[in-house]
Amino acid sequence: MSTSRNYEREFVRTFFTSPTAVEGNEDTAKLLRSAAQLSGMEAPDTWIPDNEDATAPSMRSEGVSNIIEVVSEHGATFPGEIHPRVVWHRDDPSKRYQGFQQMLEIADPGNGAVDHIDGFVIPEVGDIDDWKKADEFFTIVESEHGLEPGSLSMSVIVESGEAELAMGELRSEIGAPSNRLERLFMLVDGEVDYTKDMRGMTPTGGLPEWPELRHNTSRGASAAGLIAVDGPYDDIRDVEGYHERMTENRAKGMTGIWSLTPGQVVEANKAPLPPASGQWLLEIGGETVELTAVDEGYEYAGDEVTLEPTGDDQFRLKTGATDQTLDESALQEVVVDMTAYISGLDDMVDSMEEFEAAKAAGKGAIAMTRSATLIIDGVSVSIQTDRMWDEATYQAAMTPISLFQDVYENRPDQHEELAEMYGASVVERAMAVGTDD
Amino acid sequence: MSTSRNYEREFVRTFFTSPTAVEGNEDTAKLLRSAAQLSGMEAPDTWIPDNEDATAPSMRSEGVSNIIEVVSEHGATFPGEIHPRVVWHRDDPSKRYQGFQQMLEIADPGNGAVDHIDGFVIPEVGDIDDWKKADEFFTIVESEHGLEPGSLSMSVIVESGEAELAMGELRSEIGAPSNRLERLFMLVDGEVDYTKDMRGMTPTGGLPEWPELRHNTSRGASAAGLIAVDGPYDDIRDVEGYHERMTENRAKGMTGIWSLTPGQVVEANKAPLPPASGQWLLEIGGETVELTAVDEGYEYAGDEVTLEPTGDDQFRLKTGATDQTLDESALQEVVVDMTAYISGLDDMVDSMEEFEAAKAAGKGAIAMTRSATLIIDGVSVSIQTDRMWDEATYQAAMTPISLFQDVYENRPDQHEELAEMYGASVVERAMAVGTDD
Amino acid sequence: MSTSRNYEREFVRTFFTSPTAVEGNEDTAKLLRSAAQLSGMEAPDTWIPDNEDATAPSMRSEGVSNIIEVVSEHGATFPGEIHPRVVWHRDDPSKRYQGFQQMLEIADPGNGAVDHIDGFVIPEVGDIDDWKKADEFFTIVESEHGLEPGSLSMSVIVESGEAELAMGELRSEIGAPSNRLERLFMLVDGEVDYTKDMRGMTPTGGLPEWPELRHNTSRGASAAGLIAVDGPYDDIRDVEGYHERMTENRAKGMTGIWSLTPGQVVEANKAPLPPASGQWLLEIGGETVELTAVDEGYEYAGDEVTLEPTGDDQFRLKTGATDQTLDESALQEVVVDMTAYISGLDDMVDSMEEFEAAKAAGKGAIAMTRSATLIIDGVSVSIQTDRMWDEATYQAAMTPISLFQDVYENRPDQHEELAEMYGASVVERAMAVGTDD
């Protein structure tokens, strides 16, 4: 019995659902066909032709045919993974049987699609025994069609309280003799149905934030070696809101997010990648302002801070209600407290290389120094920040690099765009760090 | 063995605890008697004559007698459910035995109260095995008194870490051959004792927010088919704070809240009901302002937004630091982004009916459109918003209607007030939607 | 088999890690030796000579020798507990075996340290079965060295999703016949490695907040009778931020925090202690301002509130955008709503004594009254607040006093500082309340 997961990706940025069969079009496979031909930053890491909620019940049989047709034709060149979503419901055996039949039909080797199918997505799962029912159908599909046991991965949509609880049991259930839950791949939050199941209500009908659900999904994924993906962001025109949600999610350990449109795919593919260059920030009265890179350093061009030399090597610094007169060293200290730095990929690689060299030289911890000249109200202030790095810091700092490496290894179609964003030499160095671990 | 829950309510808005026996009054049943005669919006969905914390230890025997007397006399006409709270403690067998004796006595058919008693509330429960001890006493009480097995419902106060954890196990424990936990009804957070048990401290002695507890209670209720109720809101004069807490709770799927006074009952009964009419909101610099309905549309009367036509079909819009000149269509887009709409019950019913008609006509998804004329700084702007509705949207939108229907079916004494609030025809239509599900 | 925990402390304020062996110094035990000689507010409740992350892998054998040497020499006079941290990793049997060998060596009675060793800290634990592996090594160490079974306490660093989940199982696992997990003492969050394990990322590389982890740790500790301690606060110069974090933690029931420097130890020792004297606060537009004690009462000296008598016994009160004219009683009510009070230890003791006297006189609940004269814009306003106290209020209010008593009983070296802070008579009264429980 295999105990290793059956997927290569360690990170998934984009979970892109596209409607399967849209009634009313003459060609009901049209949207599927255009999704199947995406590439580069426009192509998702995982593409989910959706034969559940996005397809009317009466069209699902045609949806299966369309998936088979489009995946057979375009699957070989599609750069991401393909995981069709079939129907399922923890409370409805007839839905479950339909889901089983849809999988059986799509995975039939006779129709040529299965070579390009990486797995299936099962929505509306319930508690762990319900997950096992789905797993059993995967096993039968593999057995009937002569596929390698465990070769089809299973992802689930967590959209009920019982599924949220089930994520706490995965570690002790995966690998039991009577299941093959090692096939689990993505744990995806589905906040619309979850809100219904939890009976959540908000004044304007918007979705609640559900921070605890997202934490529990991320923790469940971490504990069981899976990948956590957040649900759809409804307001597809609100790019800034989508980015804020992704930033929040990454702080929770949730790297991936559902995309509803090709535009959202591009945003969601780029968002978790490290920035191409570093960025100094100044925090003023609760607000964070980006400094502008100029020849002499990084400049604050706003008027909410005033700074002037008062003679005698003293400086007067006014921000909001505080008004301080400081000598140079005290000024530097205050300015260090007011600033923050977002590392670019090149900075990250520099730091990793520096720590790796120190480790090779037998040092367990080193001070990582960053220097800059900030220009505030026309006055230059040279600052320097130190941070102690030990093995734990190094490994935590590795996360964005690992993500980058995972993308680079699995998405050759994005190499060109990555080289454009970062420059070829930074890409090469980024691929080299951390490999001695 | 029955596996269905034994209660009719799907939602509980108000969990009203009234003291049982107040020492010092000549008539120690006085408060009980007045609570028993409440009706309409002043009567709670569940009334909890409290023979635990609200009754001095020396008065608990008199408390039992008072409950029997008052419930026998007024129970038949009391419009809500009646669930006396008895004593219990996970760490104290003597308290548990007293609680058993109190239930035995109150439920004795000889004294006439039990016909109006729907269940009992057990405070201070511990882990799941402690819940089973209480359940066993319910079973014995039913058996001794010839009541139908499972007919007395059991609600618990969650006020310890172990009880919080136990809520994650309910699904696998309910229905086991050796318990009758199907009798479970409400999971009620008790934040005062929970704070003590968790050793929480705040500078001013106020209760911590405990968002995770409330999430876990709501999730436990959702997974096990129960009802989640939040704890008491101490500051009984702070009506606005009470409403904010309830709004937060509803976003967590917790519809009910403890009420300490008849005034809080009225607020808590009305708060989760849909508003009688819709409300346009304008978001300006983080603040949300309600627009005023006037003849021509909805008016913003404040001075934080200025809008004026500049000729050439252009408009100049200033809010805070941003100053934009826009054509009509761009203006409409910006204004759409600034607005939000709180649906009234009539809007909700309209949308449900529209989707149900579309579904009957074979459509899986439709665009739900809302149009309005907003008047900002004297200038009229016609806007239109679209939202895609599919089956999941429809079902999530059903939650407030289901709540309304549950109230209407179970609280005939509130029919008059509901008709006054919404108008008879909206009430009738609201009772008709969603029934084909 | 003993079922009671083997530690005396009910609260731990400070978890102080000091490096074990710093390479480069001639005397690698120097830092250890200085930490071992701390006392009073500078000495931590639990001191953790760290032979894991703070010690380079090549120095760990010397680290063990240094710990033995320093603890043998200074352990008898060190006022707190001593819990060395050894190496461990849920995924690495060789690390686990090294940790076992380190414990075996340090606890060898032949070298004189073990009499002063209270337990060991095990980092990087995984799920509950991994905790049991560590427990088994403690049992063997005790058996090999003739120590009383269970006499060495075990604390763990929670820095993985599986360890977070394991905390939900402690209650059902502690006390099982094949383990001695009763030795568990502290559950310590380790956010750096946890962030790595969860793959959390933030723009600036700062640690995410992880509120759910801290809740779950606190709940796990509460349910299993253990002590929850928060992880390190990296920015050691940011004293205000450290205090904010501790205030947040206490609202979650987490009393203790990791200290990285002797300066942080002092802050973390003092922070959870009740303030020496009470403090009136005024809330103005979302801000909280401390009032100044003057002869006539408590004065607000700012200019964001104006108050003036208008004749006819009326007062005009202006704050922000609101402008009200009120009679004296309405004014008092508004001012009560604007104020909050942080109790000092003497206030707390007064209230406890008052309630205990009432209870002895047979009363279950009493109104606790607080009166003060506030001086706003030169005008005196006499206010009075009431709060109902029942047994639950009393017990929740006991938490900070219990903490104080725990400190007093276990840290005689801090008696002098406590007497200075509070005065001897308040200390004496604080030690007397609550003891009849």
Side-chain angles (χ1 to χ4, degrees):
Chain A
M1 186 186 55
S2 153
T3 55
S4 65
R5 303 290 101 76
N6 65 350
Y7 44 85
E8 285 184 23
R9 301 299 306 252
E10 284 182 66
F11 293 87
V12 164
R13 294 166 295 171
T14 38
F15 175 95
F16 175 48
T17 43
S18 73
T20 312
V22 179
E23 195 183 26
N25 271 348
E26 219 162 296
D27 175 3
T28 57
K30 194 176 163 190
L31 282 169
L32 272 189
R33 203 168 281 121
S34 78
Q37 297 177 66
L38 297 169
S39 76
M41 284 298 168
E42 293 189 324
D45 286 343
T46 56
W47 172 42
I48 321 299
D50 181 9
N51 208 37
E52 191 218 12
D53 277 356
T55 301
S58 60
M59 300 293 289
R60 284 185 185 139
S61 157
E62 188 168 340
V64 167
S65 308
N66 287 346
I67 290 174
I68 291 169
E69 181 196 318
V70 172
V71 172
S72 304
E73 188 180 343
H74 297 286
T77 55
F78 184 76
E81 299 195 356
I82 304 177
H83 302 252
R85 174 157 80 163
V86 297
V87 299
W88 189 266
H89 203 289
R90 58 194 173 280
D91 295 331
D92 183 349
S94 131
K95 276 262 176 64
R96 297 196 294 271
Y97 184 45
Q98 288 166 42
F100 173 42
Q101 290 172 307
Q102 293 172 9
M103 290 195 289
L104 255 184
E105 192 174 342
I106 294 172
D108 187 332
N111 60 42
V114 72
D115 293 345
H116 316 303
I117 298 282
D118 298 277
F120 291 98
V121 174
I122 308 295
E124 293 287 4
V125 288
D127 39 30
I128 192 72
D129 284 353
D130 186 60
W131 302 36
K132 292 178 191 167
K133 296 174 190 172
D135 167 60
E136 170 67 357
F137 288 149
F138 279 77
T139 296
I140 292 175
V141 166
E142 288 165 345
S143 152
E144 287 300 301
H145 291 326
L147 305 170
E148 195 188 338
S151 60
L152 290 172
S153 83
M154 169 172 152
S155 299
V156 298
I157 314 279
V158 174
E159 40 197 339
S160 66
E162 48 265 48
E164 184 184 351
L165 286 162
M167 294 190 293
E169 295 173 74
L170 291 176
R171 249 185 99 78
S172 51
E173 295 283 358
I174 293 178
S178 294
N179 70 51
R180 196 173 278 278
L181 286 171
E182 297 92 328
R183 70 173 77 252
L184 279 168
F185 176 39
M186 295 181 282
L187 303 176
V188 186
D189 285 345
E191 278 96 350
V192 176
D193 279 298
Y194 181 81
T195 298
K196 176 193 71 183
D197 192 66
M198 292 283 281
R199 299 178 161 186
M201 292 185 276
T202 61
T204 60
L207 291 173
E209 293 281 314
W210 302 120
E212 296 89 358
L213 168 67
R214 288 181 282 153
H215 175 76
N216 292 338
T217 303
S218 181
R219 179 185 63 181
S222 171
L226 309 178
I227 295 180
V229 175
D230 191 25
Y233 190 82
D234 266 25
D235 191 348
I236 55 178
R237 295 179 317 167
D238 181 6
V239 177
E240 198 187 331
Y242 195 50
H243 275 276
E244 277 169 23
R245 177 76 172 197
M246 290 190 279
T247 302
E248 251 187 47
N249 285 342
R250 288 195 297 276
K252 289 175 163 292
M254 196 173 235
T255 311
I257 194 168
W258 205 309
S259 299
L260 294 169
T261 65
Q264 282 193 336
V265 171
V266 175
E267 298 302 327
N269 272 340
K270 290 186 174 170
L273 292 170
S277 53
Q279 175 67 58
W280 282 97
L281 306 173
L282 201 63
E283 280 168 33
I284 311 166
E287 294 289 295
T288 298
V289 182
E290 298 188 353
L291 302 189
T292 312
V294 295
D295 281 356
E296 301 80 17
Y298 299 88
E299 185 172 37
Y300 170 66
D303 53 7
E304 297 196 48
V305 183
T306 63
L307 175 61
E308 49 175 353
T310 59
D312 303 339
D313 299 326
Q314 299 282 305
F315 296 85
R316 184 168 179 195
L317 177 75
K318 299 205 310 197
T319 58
T322 67
D323 183 344
Q324 297 165 284
T325 301
L326 305 158
D327 65 18
E328 189 172 354
S329 122
L331 175 67
Q332 286 166 337
E333 210 169 291
V334 169
V335 171
V336 164
D337 280 347
M338 293 170 69
T339 54
Y341 186 74
I342 299 178
S343 294
L345 180 58
D346 53 346
D347 300 310
M348 293 180 185
V349 171
D350 288 349
S351 301
M352 303 305 283
E353 289 175 347
E354 191 175 336
F355 186 81
E356 287 175 2
K359 203 160 53 167
K363 285 189 207 156
I366 59 170
M368 208 65 87
T369 303
R370 180 172 312 287
S371 304
T373 299
L374 307 189
I375 301 147
I376 299 174
D377 203 11
V379 179
S380 290
V381 186
S382 297
I383 62 165
Q384 188 170 314
T385 62
D386 280 331
R387 193 179 167 196
M388 282 306 297
W389 272 49
D390 63 11
E391 185 64 27
T393 329
Y394 169 73
Q395 289 190 15
M398 190 63 202
T399 302
I401 309 264
S402 299
L403 168 73
F404 177 87
Q405 293 177 345
D406 184 69
V407 168
Y408 194 84
E409 275 158 21
N410 289 284
R411 296 294 305 272
D413 61 310
Q414 296 185 351
H415 284 188
E416 203 172 316
E417 277 158 303
L418 293 174
E420 255 170 53
M421 285 167 70
Y422 298 109
S425 101
V426 172
V427 169
E428 195 180 324
R429 288 168 57 215
M431 291 305 296
V433 294
T435 49
D436 59 335
D437 190 44
Chain B
M1 187 187 54
S2 154
T3 55
S4 64
R5 303 288 100 76
N6 64 352
Y7 45 84
E8 285 184 24
R9 300 298 305 250
E10 284 182 65
F11 293 87
V12 163
R13 295 165 295 172
T14 38
F15 175 95
F16 175 47
T17 43
S18 74
T20 313
V22 179
E23 195 182 29
N25 272 348
E26 219 160 297
D27 175 2
T28 57
K30 193 176 164 192
L31 282 170
L32 273 189
R33 204 168 281 121
S34 78
Q37 297 176 67
L38 296 170
S39 75
M41 285 297 168
E42 293 190 324
D45 285 342
T46 56
W47 172 42
I48 320 299
D50 181 8
N51 208 36
E52 191 218 14
D53 277 356
T55 302
S58 61
M59 300 295 287
R60 286 187 182 138
S61 155
E62 187 168 341
V64 168
S65 309
N66 286 346
I67 289 173
I68 291 168
E69 181 196 319
V70 171
V71 172
S72 305
E73 188 180 344
H74 297 286
T77 55
F78 184 76
E81 300 195 357
I82 305 177
H83 301 253
R85 175 156 81 163
V86 297
V87 299
W88 189 267
H89 203 289
R90 57 194 175 281
D91 296 330
D92 183 349
S94 132
K95 276 262 177 66
R96 296 196 294 269
Y97 184 45
Q98 287 167 42
F100 172 43
Q101 290 172 306
Q102 292 173 8
M103 291 196 288
L104 255 184
E105 192 174 343
I106 294 173
D108 188 332
N111 59 42
V114 73
D115 293 344
H116 316 304
I117 298 282
D118 298 277
F120 290 99
V121 174
I122 307 295
E124 294 287 5
V125 288
D127 37 31
I128 193 72
D129 283 353
D130 186 59
W131 301 36
K132 292 178 191 167
K133 296 173 190 172
D135 166 60
E136 171 67 356
F137 289 150
F138 279 76
T139 295
I140 293 174
V141 166
E142 289 165 346
S143 152
E144 287 300 301
H145 292 327
L147 304 170
E148 195 188 340
S151 60
L152 290 171
S153 83
M154 168 171 152
S155 299
V156 298
I157 315 279
V158 174
E159 42 198 337
S160 66
E162 48 265 48
E164 184 185 350
L165 286 163
M167 292 190 294
E169 295 173 72
L170 291 176
R171 249 185 99 78
S172 50
E173 295 283 358
I174 292 179
S178 293
N179 71 51
R180 196 173 277 278
L181 285 171
E182 296 92 328
R183 69 172 78 252
L184 279 168
F185 176 39
M186 295 182 282
L187 303 175
V188 186
D189 285 346
E191 277 97 350
V192 175
D193 279 298
Y194 181 81
T195 299
K196 177 194 71 182
D197 191 67
M198 292 282 281
R199 298 177 162 188
M201 292 185 274
T202 60
T204 59
L207 291 173
E209 293 280 315
W210 302 118
E212 295 91 358
L213 168 67
R214 287 182 282 153
H215 175 75
N216 292 338
T217 303
S218 182
R219 180 185 61 181
S222 171
L226 310 178
I227 295 180
V229 175
D230 190 26
Y233 190 82
D234 267 24
D235 190 346
I236 55 177
R237 295 179 318 166
D238 180 6
V239 177
E240 198 188 331
Y242 195 49
H243 274 276
E244 277 169 22
R245 177 77 172 197
M246 290 190 279
T247 302
E248 251 187 46
N249 285 342
R250 286 196 299 276
K252 289 175 163 292
M254 196 173 234
T255 312
I257 194 167
W258 205 309
S259 299
L260 294 168
T261 66
Q264 282 193 336
V265 171
V266 174
E267 299 301 328
N269 272 340
K270 290 187 175 170
L273 291 171
S277 52
Q279 175 68 57
W280 283 96
L281 305 173
L282 202 62
E283 281 168 35
I284 311 167
E287 293 290 295
T288 298
V289 182
E290 299 189 354
L291 302 190
T292 312
V294 294
D295 282 355
E296 302 78 17
Y298 299 87
E299 185 172 38
Y300 171 65
D303 53 8
E304 296 196 47
V305 183
T306 64
L307 175 61
E308 49 175 351
T310 60
D312 303 340
D313 299 326
Q314 299 281 305
F315 296 85
R316 184 167 179 195
L317 177 74
K318 299 204 313 198
T319 58
T322 66
D323 184 345
Q324 299 164 283
T325 300
L326 305 157
D327 65 17
E328 189 171 355
S329 122
L331 175 67
Q332 286 166 339
E333 211 169 290
V334 169
V335 171
V336 164
D337 281 347
M338 292 170 68
T339 54
Y341 186 74
I342 298 178
S343 294
L345 180 58
D346 52 347
D347 300 310
M348 293 179 184
V349 171
D350 288 349
S351 301
M352 303 304 282
E353 288 175 348
E354 192 176 334
F355 186 81
E356 287 175 2
K359 201 160 54 167
K363 286 188 206 158
I366 59 170
M368 207 64 88
T369 303
R370 182 173 311 287
S371 305
T373 300
L374 307 190
I375 301 148
I376 298 174
D377 203 13
V379 179
S380 289
V381 186
S382 295
I383 63 165
Q384 189 169 314
T385 63
D386 279 330
R387 193 179 168 196
M388 283 305 298
W389 272 50
D390 63 11
E391 185 64 27
T393 329
Y394 169 74
Q395 289 190 15
M398 189 64 202
T399 302
I401 309 264
S402 300
L403 168 74
F404 177 87
Q405 293 176 346
D406 185 68
V407 168
Y408 194 85
E409 275 158 21
N410 290 284
R411 295 296 304 273
D413 61 310
Q414 296 185 352
H415 283 187
E416 202 173 318
E417 277 157 301
L418 294 174
E420 255 170 53
M421 285 167 72
Y422 298 109
S425 100
V426 171
V427 168
E428 195 180 323
R429 288 169 57 213
M431 291 306 296
V433 293
T435 49
D436 59 335
D437 190 46
Chain C
M1 186 187 55
S2 152
T3 56
S4 63
R5 304 288 101 77
N6 64 351
Y7 45 84
E8 286 185 23
R9 300 299 305 251
E10 284 182 66
F11 293 86
V12 163
R13 294 165 296 172
T14 37
F15 175 94
F16 175 47
T17 43
S18 74
T20 313
V22 179
E23 196 183 25
N25 271 347
E26 218 160 297
D27 174 3
T28 57
K30 194 177 163 190
L31 282 169
L32 273 190
R33 203 169 281 120
S34 79
Q37 296 176 67
L38 296 170
S39 75
M41 285 297 169
E42 294 188 325
D45 286 343
T46 56
W47 172 43
I48 321 299
D50 181 10
N51 208 36
E52 191 219 13
D53 276 355
T55 302
S58 61
M59 300 295 288
R60 284 184 185 140
S61 155
E62 188 168 341
V64 166
S65 310
N66 286 346
I67 291 173
I68 291 169
E69 182 196 318
V70 172
V71 172
S72 304
E73 189 181 343
H74 297 286
T77 55
F78 184 76
E81 300 195 357
I82 304 177
H83 302 253
R85 175 157 80 163
V86 297
V87 299
W88 189 268
H89 203 288
R90 58 194 175 282
D91 296 329
D92 183 350
S94 132
K95 276 262 176 64
R96 297 196 293 270
Y97 183 45
Q98 288 167 42
F100 172 42
Q101 289 172 308
Q102 292 173 7
M103 291 196 288
L104 255 184
E105 192 175 342
I106 294 172
D108 187 333
N111 59 43
V114 72
D115 293 345
H116 316 303
I117 298 281
D118 297 277
F120 290 99
V121 174
I122 307 295
E124 293 286 5
V125 288
D127 38 29
I128 193 72
D129 283 353
D130 186 59
W131 301 37
K132 292 178 191 166
K133 296 174 190 173
D135 166 60
E136 170 66 356
F137 288 149
F138 279 78
T139 296
I140 292 174
V141 166
E142 288 165 347
S143 152
E144 286 301 300
H145 291 326
L147 304 171
E148 196 188 339
S151 60
L152 290 172
S153 82
M154 169 172 152
S155 300
V156 297
I157 315 279
V158 174
E159 41 197 339
S160 65
E162 48 264 49
E164 185 184 349
L165 286 163
M167 293 190 294
E169 295 172 73
L170 291 176
R171 249 185 100 76
S172 50
E173 295 282 358
I174 293 178
S178 293
N179 71 51
R180 197 174 277 278
L181 286 171
E182 298 92 328
R183 68 172 79 252
L184 278 167
F185 176 39
M186 294 181 282
L187 303 175
V188 186
D189 285 346
E191 277 96 351
V192 176
D193 279 297
Y194 181 81
T195 298
K196 177 193 71 182
D197 191 67
M198 292 282 280
R199 299 177 160 186
M201 292 184 275
T202 61
T204 60
L207 290 173
E209 293 281 314
W210 301 120
E212 295 90 358
L213 168 67
R214 288 182 281 153
H215 175 76
N216 293 338
T217 304
S218 182
R219 180 184 63 181
S222 171
L226 309 178
I227 295 179
V229 175
D230 191 26
Y233 190 81
D234 267 24
D235 190 348
I236 54 179
R237 295 178 319 167
D238 180 7
V239 177
E240 197 187 330
Y242 195 50
H243 274 276
E244 277 169 22
R245 177 77 172 197
M246 290 190 280
T247 301
E248 249 186 48
N249 285 342
R250 286 196 298 276
K252 288 176 164 293
M254 195 173 236
T255 312
I257 194 168
W258 205 310
S259 300
L260 294 169
T261 65
Q264 282 193 335
V265 171
V266 175
E267 299 301 329
N269 272 340
K270 289 186 174 170
L273 291 170
S277 53
Q279 175 67 57
W280 282 96
L281 306 173
L282 201 62
E283 282 167 35
I284 311 168
E287 294 290 294
T288 298
V289 182
E290 299 189 353
L291 303 188
T292 313
V294 295
D295 282 355
E296 303 79 18
Y298 299 87
E299 185 172 37
Y300 171 65
D303 53 8
E304 297 197 47
V305 183
T306 63
L307 174 62
E308 49 176 352
T310 59
D312 303 338
D313 298 327
Q314 299 281 304
F315 296 85
R316 184 167 178 196
L317 178 74
K318 299 205 310 199
T319 58
T322 66
D323 183 345
Q324 299 165 284
T325 300
L326 305 158
D327 65 18
E328 188 172 355
S329 123
L331 174 67
Q332 286 167 337
E333 211 169 290
V334 168
V335 170
V336 164
D337 280 347
M338 292 170 67
T339 55
Y341 186 73
I342 299 178
S343 294
L345 180 58
D346 53 345
D347 301 311
M348 292 179 185
V349 171
D350 288 348
S351 301
M352 303 305 283
E353 289 175 347
E354 192 175 334
F355 186 80
E356 287 174 1
K359 203 160 53 165
K363 284 187 206 158
I366 60 169
M368 208 65 86
T369 303
R370 181 171 312 286
S371 304
T373 300
L374 307 190
I375 301 147
I376 298 175
D377 203 12
V379 178
S380 289
V381 186
S382 296
I383 63 165
Q384 188 170 312
T385 62
D386 279 330
R387 193 179 168 196
M388 284 305 297
W389 272 50
D390 64 11
E391 185 65 26
T393 329
Y394 169 74
Q395 289 189 16
M398 189 65 201
T399 303
I401 309 263
S402 299
L403 167 75
F404 177 87
Q405 293 176 345
D406 184 68
V407 168
Y408 194 84
E409 275 159 22
N410 289 285
R411 295 295 304 272
D413 61 310
Q414 296 186 351
H415 283 188
E416 203 173 315
E417 277 157 301
L418 293 174
E420 255 169 52
M421 285 167 71
Y422 299 109
S425 100
V426 172
V427 168
E428 194 180 325
R429 289 169 56 215
M431 292 305 297
V433 293
T435 49
D436 59 335
D437 190 44

